[in-house]
């Protein structure tokens, strides 16, 4: 829908496309993301220090062969691709973000519930990732200047605080320039990280006297493996990786709305998910195996591997890489959903930049107090609870859009906060709210009830199925 017609959705919104309200349908001049941009969303979502440690540990924790692990990663990638094609289709078709898409099933007011839940999780991890990105910059500055130690304030030295504030400000610069800059950063960061990871594998290959492949095969072989252990390991890895991408799955319309067309979205997801998971995992496997050969132990943290190489040049390059990777995943998984969720609290009054600044203020507090207080406080249980409750929302959104609405939405009514098809009862679809509440009981239980630990990795899928099924059973036939 052309940007010139978007004023009908937000009263008084006649701003230029670059500054128009973030919740408005993306116009033709904004739908510029080709398949490579979608590909790099997933490259950046995979490429993080946590993602590296996760995929490296999969080969160790579950005791499966390399081929089984890779098969599981491909299966998880294909399943996630299927899910994001489902959740992203409304965004691509109508140019609407996730909070607006949620209005169709939960109501114009009720949609604030899932938007706030997603935004709260995103804001928290946005602040945490700003801190972790700053540790990469601090590593870079220490490698170049040789400065170390110093008095600590709230668990961080002066150099740490300087790095943190620089990274925090850089995020503001990127989003202040608009989504075009976000796309550019993602397109640069994704390929760059792969180049450096390949370089690290080459270094380890040389130091292992060419024994990296054979040694890696030996390290991750499991002589006690049986068909059953391989199968259970396969299922566990699939569940773990699906849970890893769960947050992005629900709000993928926030990205697909900028896709040029459906073909760009589908090809970007097809190449981006399975390919990035396999390539990144292969590099993580080779790096972990190479480190085991060279240093005598299986290291799953890339920063430890770089430190062991005793190379200033490699430390500098690695620091830049870790920084780019962390900022990339922060923009994809945390910043954009946080901004859209906050803007949805007061449509028409909170702009993209205002929501970005609100997010940044929270990030300043969360990141600044992370080392000294928040990481010790156990707030992760609270955040994980909010994250788990998103699973039923996903099921409700998908069942409503595909089963009950046959992929047809009335876009002007999505922006009518006083009436229209999606206003329901004072803005709330009570059937969706009840389905969410009932299914959320299970989702919350998986976080706090020890018995549900056996479902770790599968709880998100089960929660989504429960939410969609209960909603389908409770929803009246009328719109």
């Amino acid at each position: 829908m052309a940007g010139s017609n978007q004023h009908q959705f937000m009263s008084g919104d006649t701003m230029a496309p670059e500054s128009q309200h973030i919740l408005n349908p993306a116009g033709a001049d904004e739908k510029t993301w080709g398949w490579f941009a979608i590909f790099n969303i997933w490259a950046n979502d995979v490429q993080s220090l946590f993602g590296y440690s996760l995929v490296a540990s999969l080969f160790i924790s579950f005791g499966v062969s390399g081929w089984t692990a890779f098969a599981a990663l491909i299966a998880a990638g294909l399943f996630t691709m299927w899910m994001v094609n489902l959740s992203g289709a409304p965004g691509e078709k109508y140019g609407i973000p996730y909070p607006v898409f949620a209005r169709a099933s939960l109501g114009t007011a009720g949609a604030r519930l899932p938007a706030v839940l997603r935004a709260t999780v995103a804001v928290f991890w946005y602040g945490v990732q700003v801190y972790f990105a700053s540790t990469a910059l601090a590593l870079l500055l220490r490698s170049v200047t040789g400065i170390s130690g110093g008095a600590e304030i709230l668990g961080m030295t002066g150099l740490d605080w300087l790095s943190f504030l620089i990274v925090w400000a850089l995020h503001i610069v990127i989003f202040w320039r608009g989504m075009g800059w976000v796309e550019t950063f993602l397109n640069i960061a994704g390929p760059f990280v792969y180049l450096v990871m390949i370089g690290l594998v080459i270094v380890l290959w040389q130091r292992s006297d060419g024994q990296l492949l054979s040694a890696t095969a030996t390290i991750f072989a499991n002589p006690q493996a049986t068909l059953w252990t391989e199968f259970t390991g396969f299922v566990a890895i699939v569940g773990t990786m699906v849970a890893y991408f769960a947050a992005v799955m629900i709000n993928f319309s926030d990205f697909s709305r900028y896709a040029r067309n459906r073909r760009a979205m589908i090809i970007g997801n097809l190449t981006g998910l399975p390919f990035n998971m396999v390539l990144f995992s292969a590099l993580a496997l080779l790096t972990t195996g190479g480190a085991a050969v060279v240093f005598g132990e299986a290291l799953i943290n890339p920063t430890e591997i770089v430190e062991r190489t005793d190379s200033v040049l490699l430390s500098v390059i690695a620091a830049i890489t870790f920084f780019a990777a962390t900022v990339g995943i922060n923009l994809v998984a945390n910043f954009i959903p946080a901004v859209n969720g906050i803007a949805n609290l007061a449509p028409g009054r909170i702009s993209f930049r205002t929501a970005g600044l609100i997010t940044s203020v929270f990030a300043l507090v969360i990141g600044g107090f992370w080392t000294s207080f928040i990481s010790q406080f156990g707030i992760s249980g609270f955040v994980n609870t909010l994250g788990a409750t998103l699973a039923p929302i996903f099921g409700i959104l998908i069942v409503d859009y595909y089963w009950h609405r046959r992929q047809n939405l009335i876009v002007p009514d999505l922006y009518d906060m006083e009436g229209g098809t999606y206003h329901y009862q004072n803005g709330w679809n009570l059937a969706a709210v009840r389905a969410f509440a009932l299914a959320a009981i299970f989702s919350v239980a998986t976080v706090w009830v020890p018995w549900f630990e056996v479902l770790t990795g599968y709880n998100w899928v089960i929660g989504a199925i429960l939410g969609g099924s209960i909603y389908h059973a409770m929803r009246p036939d009328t719109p």
Side-chain angles (χ1 to χ4, degrees):
M1 187 166 297
S4 60
N5 295 328
Q6 290 178 353
H7 64 274
Q8 64 180 301
F9 303 112
M10 287 284 183
S11 60
D13 186 1
T14 58
M15 294 181 286
E18 185 64 32
S19 59
Q20 68 189 18
H21 199 279
I22 187 62
L23 298 181
N24 282 2
D29 52 347
E30 296 176 286
K31 294 176 70 65
T32 59
W33 292 21
W35 71 269
F36 188 65
I38 304 296
F39 170 92
N40 279 314
I41 288 176
W42 297 111
N44 284 275
D45 200 19
V46 171
Q47 296 167 353
S48 67
L49 294 179
F50 176 77
Y52 178 97
S53 298
L54 174 63
V55 297
S57 65
L58 292 178
F59 296 93
I60 300 172
S61 302
F62 295 106
V64 297
S65 67
W67 291 113
T68 299
F70 278 116
L73 290 169
I74 293 173
L78 292 173
F79 179 80
T80 304
M81 179 193 69
W82 178 36
M83 292 292 100
V84 295
N85 279 337
L86 291 177
S87 65
E92 183 280 319
K93 183 176 181 180
Y94 297 105
I96 55 176
Y98 157 66
V100 175
F101 172 41
R103 294 174 186 173
S105 54
L106 283 101
T108 51
R112 291 171 182 162
L113 174 63
V116 166
L117 289 174
R118 179 68 182 97
T120 302
V121 175
V123 165
F124 176 82
W125 289 117
Y126 177 79
V128 174
Q129 291 283 16
V130 167
Y131 164 75
F132 279 112
S134 74
T135 63
L137 179 58
L139 173 62
L140 172 62
L141 294 178
R142 289 190 178 94
S143 299
V144 173
T145 65
I147 297 175
S148 62
E152 292 187 355
I153 301 175
L154 297 177
M156 295 193 292
T157 66
L159 186 64
D160 293 331
W161 275 107
L162 175 63
S163 301
F164 174 70
L165 292 175
I166 290 175
V167 172
W168 177 76
L170 179 64
H171 279 76
I172 295 177
V173 170
I174 293 174
F175 83 73
W176 198 263
R177 300 295 297 179
M179 287 301 297
W181 270 48
V182 173
E183 178 192 5
T184 299
F185 183 89
L186 296 179
N187 287 344
I188 294 174
F192 176 77
V193 171
Y194 276 135
L195 288 175
V196 176
M197 288 190 68
I198 292 172
L200 183 57
V201 169
I202 293 174
V203 170
L204 292 171
W205 182 299
Q206 292 174 338
R207 295 200 177 190
S208 66
D209 297 324
Q211 302 301 311
L212 188 149
L213 287 178
S214 58
T216 299
T218 303
I219 291 169
F220 295 104
N222 183 9
Q224 283 78 41
T226 64
L227 182 61
W228 176 248
T229 60
E230 292 288 297
F231 174 76
T232 55
F234 174 90
V235 174
I237 291 175
V238 170
T240 300
M241 294 309 299
V242 169
Y244 178 72
F245 291 113
V248 180
M249 276 196 284
I250 193 171
N251 70 283
F252 195 69
S253 280
D254 287 337
F255 306 100
S256 62
R257 63 190 299 222
Y258 298 108
R260 290 174 184 166
N261 47 49
R262 182 173 176 81
R263 182 174 181 271
M265 180 188 74
I266 292 176
I267 293 178
N269 286 335
L270 176 62
T271 56
L273 269 160
F275 177 82
N276 277 305
M277 289 181 70
V278 171
L279 176 59
F280 187 79
S281 300
L283 292 173
L285 169 64
L286 292 173
T287 305
T288 304
V293 175
V294 176
F295 305 118
E297 57 181 305
L299 302 174
I300 63 172
N301 189 330
T303 56
E304 294 183 38
I305 297 174
V306 172
E307 289 174 0
R308 296 287 188 92
T309 62
D310 296 324
S311 170
V312 175
L313 178 60
L314 184 59
S315 296
V316 170
I317 296 175
I320 297 174
T321 304
F322 299 153
F323 170 79
T326 306
V327 173
I329 191 175
N330 213 17
L331 291 171
V332 170
N334 301 318
F335 176 75
I336 293 175
V339 166
N340 288 345
I342 291 172
N344 191 58
L345 291 175
R349 292 195 296 274
I350 301 179
S351 66
F352 175 75
R353 288 178 174 175
T354 301
L357 289 176
I358 294 173
T359 302
S360 297
V361 170
F362 280 114
L364 183 64
V365 175
I366 294 170
F369 284 93
W370 175 253
T371 300
S372 61
F373 178 70
I374 297 178
S375 63
Q376 313 296 326
F377 187 65
I379 198 172
S380 60
F382 170 73
V383 176
N384 289 338
T385 299
L386 294 180
T389 57
L390 291 172
I393 295 294
F394 182 88
I396 292 170
L397 294 177
I398 296 303
V399 168
D400 180 78
Y401 180 70
Y402 287 93
W403 194 306
H404 293 281
R405 303 198 182 279
R406 308 299 182 189
Q407 305 181 51
N408 293 310
L409 297 175
I410 306 172
V411 177
D413 282 10
L414 289 172
Y415 292 86
D416 186 350
M417 308 305 287
E418 304 297 330
T421 304
Y422 312 111
H423 195 61
Y424 299 103
Q425 295 174 275
N426 296 319
W428 293 80
N429 182 359
L430 297 183
V433 173
R434 294 189 186 102
F436 163 73
L438 291 173
I441 294 174
F442 166 81
S443 297
V444 173
T446 62
V447 177
W448 296 102
V449 179
W451 186 85
F452 282 103
E453 289 181 0
V454 297
L455 297 178
T456 299
Y458 325 116
N459 45 19
W460 196 91
V461 174
I462 297 174
I465 293 174
L466 278 176
S469 300
I470 296 174
Y471 174 71
H472 178 65
M474 299 181 68
R475 187 186 187 281
D477 291 333
T478 56

